[in-house]
Amino acid sequence: MATMRDVAQKAGVSITSVSHVINKTRFVAPGLKKRIFDAMRDLHYRPNRLAQGLRNKRSFTLGLILPDITNPYFAEIARDIENASFKQGYSIIICNSDQDSATESRYMEVLTDKQVDGVILVDVGSRSPKALAPLSTMPLIMLDREVPELPTDSIQADNAEGGRVAAEHLLSLRHRRFACIAGPEVIQPGDNRLVGFKEALEKAGAILDESQILRGDFRSESAYRLALEILEWKTMPTAIFAFNDLMAFGAITALSERGMRVPEDISVVGYDNIEQASYFNPRLTTVAQPHREMGEMAVAKLIERIAEKDLPARVFHLSPCLVTRNSTAPARNRRED
Ligand code: RIB
């Protein structure tokens, strides 16, 4: 099996230069770096990560804790993180907290015992900074869900902006009677979506009172049940904003089974833009989260933190965008029921 020495001889450089390229510990001129990578490829050289890890006290492994791996949004973000980690020479250990804070804390202990170099955490929500404090004993980045009091890096899409674009789209279609199928109150991204949605409605002179806001659990079945409740309302809304795509699917299924046509009778907007949103019937209008950019940035910023633990905490907000498909249409001119 080729050694670092073999690579150095083939590339015509010092072993030190090869080590700096592998460990990213010092700048190496692009031309030299290319000769080293070419030699590694030709010799099928693979760095001895275990030996390296022992020397540098690094495992070259990252932990990823997700709240619900059955949700395609998190499955897609896990794939993005795995791809980005592999390119940086890291493996990942994926953990599912199943929306349970005790499980989340237990996995943090497991990852600490396994000596991962850092953790990307999508928090279950509802965690007090005190409860989360032990989690920040190692390089940690909060993804998708912020805990502002926790002094760690965080990355999420601008959820208030996402709520605004959903509202502006429906308002542009002359909708004025709405229902929101929001997520659980403790999960911060959903709350910010509601803030943005309400702001846009108020700006347009439309209202959304508390009775029009129902709380699901980000899964289809909860929204199916809530849509049946909406069908019993004295005044039917002409549009529903579901705070994620899975809940939009559940709501559309319930509406369709009760003879309501989407979008002819009622428009539905989702959130996340998971792959299935393009293939649902009707194809779902939704707010797309930049999950690939979020995942890649989470890996890059965590590796920076691993290398430089004393960096000040950084907050990154990325922009969501509306993807208009077939589940929304102009409101029909209907007199108040
Ligand atoms: O689909 C799950 C939801 O919870 C997503 O919108 C994501 O932002 C997460 O917070």
Side-chain angles (χ1 to χ4, degrees):
M1 184 166 71
T3 65
M4 207 187 286
R5 181 181 303 281
D6 298 331
V7 171
Q9 280 172 350
K10 184 168 182 63
V13 300
S14 69
I15 289 181
T16 308
S17 297
V18 175
S19 172
H20 285 317
V21 166
I22 291 170
N23 295 307
K24 303 183 178 71
T25 42
R26 190 175 297 170
F27 173 78
V28 175
L32 215 57
K33 192 184 287 189
K34 184 178 181 319
R35 279 165 44 196
I36 290 168
F37 278 130
D38 289 349
M40 288 165 72
R41 183 200 58 228
D42 297 347
L43 294 170
H44 305 292
Y45 170 77
R46 285 180 57 74
N48 181 334
R49 287 300 192 193
L50 182 61
Q52 247 180 344
L54 290 173
R55 267 199 311 283
N56 308 340
K57 294 185 179 47
R58 299 270 293 278
S59 63
F60 294 98
T61 307
L62 305 177
L64 170 61
I65 303 179
L66 297 169
D68 179 3
I69 54 170
T70 66
N71 182 332
Y73 171 76
F74 293 119
E76 290 173 14
I77 217 163
R79 178 197 53 199
D80 299 329
I81 288 171
E82 205 283 334
N83 289 341
S85 302
F86 185 76
K87 287 178 189 154
Q88 300 280 347
Y90 282 82
S91 305
I92 62 169
I93 298 173
I94 300 176
C95 308
N96 176 40
S97 62
D98 209 18
Q99 273 302 128
D100 175 72
S101 51
T103 304
E104 180 178 283
S105 298
R106 193 172 72 247
Y107 269 127
M108 283 301 290
E109 290 163 8
V110 166
L111 293 171
T112 305
D113 295 346
K114 289 192 177 298
Q115 299 185 340
V116 298
D117 294 334
V119 173
I120 298 170
L121 172 63
V122 181
D123 176 39
V124 296
S126 79
R127 303 301 301 279
S128 69
K130 185 168 169 293
L132 284 169
L135 306 186
S136 53
T137 56
M138 69 160 78
L140 171 72
I141 191 158
M142 305 296 287
L143 178 63
D144 182 83
R145 298 167 181 187
E146 281 179 353
V147 179
E149 303 86 346
L150 203 62
T152 60
D153 297 331
S154 74
I155 295 174
Q156 69 172 186
D158 182 336
N159 288 288
E161 176 61 21
R164 268 192 296 276
V165 299
E168 286 162 1
H169 172 63
L170 292 169
L171 288 163
S172 73
L173 296 174
R174 301 193 311 280
H175 291 280
R176 287 300 180 275
R177 291 204 311 272
F178 303 94
C180 281
I181 299 182
E185 283 187 81
V186 295
I187 295 182
Q188 176 242 14
D191 289 348
N192 289 352
R193 285 165 209 168
L194 187 56
V195 166
F197 190 79
K198 279 181 169 178
E199 275 175 4
L201 260 55
E202 281 158 17
K203 203 171 161 185
I207 54 155
L208 184 78
D209 64 45
E210 287 310 306
S211 66
Q212 295 164 282
I213 302 167
L214 306 179
R215 291 282 176 180
D217 62 3
F218 281 139
R219 290 178 170 152
S220 299
E221 195 275 333
S222 64
Y224 181 96
R225 283 186 292 99
L226 293 170
L228 296 182
E229 278 184 35
I230 292 170
L231 286 168
E232 298 304 316
W233 286 3
K234 183 177 173 302
T235 306
M236 272 298 288
T238 62
I240 294 177
F241 175 31
F243 284 25
N244 82 338
D245 292 344
L246 293 181
M247 293 201 294
F249 298 158
I252 291 171
T253 302
L255 294 166
S256 307
E257 285 178 356
R258 295 301 184 287
M260 291 286 282
R261 298 168 302 162
V262 178
E264 295 79 359
D265 298 328
I266 187 165
S267 288
V268 177
V269 176
Y271 205 104
D272 288 343
N273 193 31
I274 59 176
E275 186 185 2
Q276 292 82 344
S278 303
Y279 302 98
F280 200 71
N281 182 20
R283 285 166 172 64
L284 186 66
T285 294
T286 185
V287 180
Q289 297 220 58
H291 58 75
R292 174 169 304 181
E293 197 183 346
M294 289 163 71
E296 291 172 349
M297 182 182 274
V299 171
K301 298 305 173 188
L302 182 58
I303 291 174
E304 285 175 9
R305 168 80 49 196
I306 290 166
E308 181 56 61
K309 290 182 174 48
D310 299 331
L311 279 173
R314 300 163 296 175
V315 175
F316 303 95
H317 282 165
L318 302 174
S319 297
C321 66
L322 183 76
V323 178
T324 307
R325 297 192 179 101
N326 304 339
S327 64
T328 50
R332 293 190 319 184
N333 296 323
R334 287 167 42 153
R335 61 178 175 70
E336 289 292 322
D337 296 337

